[in-house]
Amino acid sequence: MNLHHIVESQQFTVPRIMELFERTEQMKKIVARGGTRDYDNKIMATLFYKSSTRTRFSFEAAMYRLGGKVLSTEHAREFSSEIEGEVLEDSIKIIANYSDVIVLRHPEEGGAKRAAAISPVPVINAGDGAGGQHPTQALLDLYTIFSECKTLDGLSVAIIGALDLGRTARSLAYLLSKFDRVKLYFIAPKGLQIKQDILDHLDEKGISYHLSESPHNIINKVDVVYQTRIERERMAKSDTDITKYNIDSSVLQKMKYDSIIMHPLPRSVEIAREIDNDPRAAYFRQTQNGLYVRMALLTMLFDNNIQE
Ligand code: CP
């Protein structure tokens, strides 16, 4: 059965992930030669009800590099008919008349699922709600880990932040659970730890995990540090000294020489700029991979190549 929409990362099997990575390598070559015209009959609509820099720009750049065209609204709350009270389902039905794929960022958890349920064209979840998912971010994160660490099996990964509502952390945990001997460390302030549904899934898959309120004695032994945004207001509620989660040059000294630091971005204070030039700082390479992975995903949808 063909996969018509990309809503959550659990949809991606290991063979499908490997197919995506092979295509991603091809996309790097296509971008290096300036792009292709192969998809010049395709139109992508980007419908963003919440702000975005990386996801929207990289999807739009991906479409242009494939030769396609883009219809876009970056503040759908103000610049779409939602302001007149139009419901999401109506907006999707209408935009589907004008486009071949819809990339949606919606403020409600489950927004992408609602859109996918009625859309005749593929819907790609570009982030739903706080605590939903961001599957294409997790796929580009996984690709970055694969390309930097040369494997996905046997890795130790520390995921840090306010993880209860961390949609990138949630989507990545689902993807990492598909690989052998992966060990996950969830590091979050009290009350903001990853939710039980993810832990239940990891238990089901037999994945080893550890929960902690502190990065100490963990950061020195992992292969990947996946830092996420520290929101001051939420941290304040947890009565936690947020500086203990920051990564700066003193933390870097404790990390393995061949480990990597990732972040979906945007960052606030949780990664000091002083470490940006360290070879282990992979977060800008990660954003570059976002372009290639999203090109690959679009071609998989357009070529009707993703099998359920
Ligand atoms: N990582 C991410 O989703 O970034 P944007 O909010 O800029 O799209």
Side-chain angles (χ1 to χ4, degrees):
M1 199 170 98
N2 289 325
L3 175 74
H4 197 48
H5 308 284
I6 299 173
V7 173
E8 52 191 19
S9 57
Q10 302 93 298
Q11 291 171 270
F12 284 79
T13 58
V14 171
R16 187 179 285 168
I17 290 167
M18 291 305 143
E19 157 71 4
L20 175 71
F21 289 179
E22 275 170 33
R23 281 188 183 236
T24 299
E25 294 301 328
Q26 290 167 23
M27 296 305 137
K28 278 186 185 172
K29 291 181 191 144
I30 286 174
V31 172
R33 61 171 198 257
T36 175
R37 297 250 160 255
D38 285 355
Y39 298 88
D40 64 356
N41 61 341
K42 298 294 183 191
I43 297 176
M44 178 185 76
T46 54
L47 184 61
F48 277 61
Y49 291 84
K50 297 285 281 180
S51 63
S52 166
T53 300
R54 280 142 291 273
T55 312
R56 190 170 69 85
F57 277 112
S58 62
F59 261 116
E60 293 184 2
M63 196 61 196
Y64 287 124
R65 291 288 187 201
L66 292 171
K69 289 145 193 99
V70 175
L71 304 174
S72 180
T73 176
E74 62 178 306
H75 293 295
R77 278 233 141 110
E78 286 170 64
F79 300 130
S80 77
S81 296
E82 184 174 289
I83 205 158
E84 314 284 353
E86 183 165 271
V87 296
L88 175 68
E89 283 80 358
D90 285 0
S91 298
I92 293 291
K93 277 183 196 159
I94 290 150
I95 294 166
N97 289 329
Y98 314 139
S99 59
D100 301 292
V101 59
I102 298 172
V103 182
L104 172 71
R105 175 166 289 183
H106 197 264
E108 284 169 29
E109 197 179 320
K113 215 172 244 179
R114 274 172 57 201
I118 51 86
S119 178
V121 303
V123 169
I124 301 177
N125 182 3
D128 62 322
Q133 283 215 33
H134 195 348
T136 68
Q137 176 70 47
L139 289 163
L140 75 90
D141 295 339
L142 195 73
Y143 175 76
T144 302
I145 296 171
F146 183 65
S147 65
E148 301 265 338
C149 301
K150 310 296 175 212
T151 183
L152 290 166
D153 294 321
L155 291 177
S156 297
V157 180
I159 303 181
I160 307 175
L163 302 181
D164 57 336
L165 299 184
R167 57 193 181 199
T168 63
R170 292 171 56 75
S171 290
L172 184 59
Y174 276 120
L175 289 182
L176 286 169
S177 75
K178 295 175 185 295
F179 296 90
D180 293 337
R181 293 170 289 105
V182 164
K183 187 159 191 178
L184 299 180
Y185 295 86
F186 296 106
I187 303 168
K190 201 174 162 98
L192 306 181
Q193 189 49 273
I194 196 102
K195 284 187 187 156
Q196 191 60 41
D197 62 332
I198 298 290
L199 302 182
D200 290 345
H201 175 80
L202 297 177
D203 285 334
E204 208 175 286
K205 292 276 182 182
I207 296 291
S208 166
Y209 63 83
H210 177 80
L211 307 180
S212 175
E213 286 177 31
S214 166
H216 296 298
N217 298 325
I218 294 175
I219 214 136
N220 54 322
K221 59 185 176 197
V222 295
D223 304 298
V224 178
V225 174
Y226 189 86
Q227 177 69 292
T228 64
R229 197 140 57 95
I230 307 278
E231 290 152 318
R232 282 177 185 281
E233 323 75 59
R234 299 208 69 226
M235 290 297 188
K237 273 186 206 150
S238 86
D239 197 24
T240 299
D241 172 15
I242 64 168
T243 59
K244 81 174 180 188
Y245 299 97
N246 292 357
I247 299 176
D248 58 17
S249 51
S250 68
V251 175
L252 210 65
Q253 278 175 16
K254 296 179 193 142
M255 288 179 56
K256 286 165 61 172
Y257 76 93
D258 58 351
S259 58
I260 56 167
I261 305 162
M262 297 173 63
H263 193 307
L265 303 178
R267 66 175 155 185
S268 170
V269 294
E270 65 277 1
I271 292 187
R273 287 208 179 87
E274 68 193 18
I275 70 161
D276 285 357
N277 292 327
D278 190 286
R280 288 169 289 184
Y283 31 91
F284 290 115
R285 297 192 291 276
Q286 194 181 341
T287 61
Q288 179 73 48
N289 290 334
L291 171 67
Y292 307 132
V293 169
R294 287 175 171 133
M295 286 174 75
L297 282 169
L298 287 170
T299 66
M300 285 171 85
L301 286 176
F302 292 146
D303 297 350
N304 211 14
N305 200 49
I306 306 183
Q307 302 293 313
E308 285 280 30

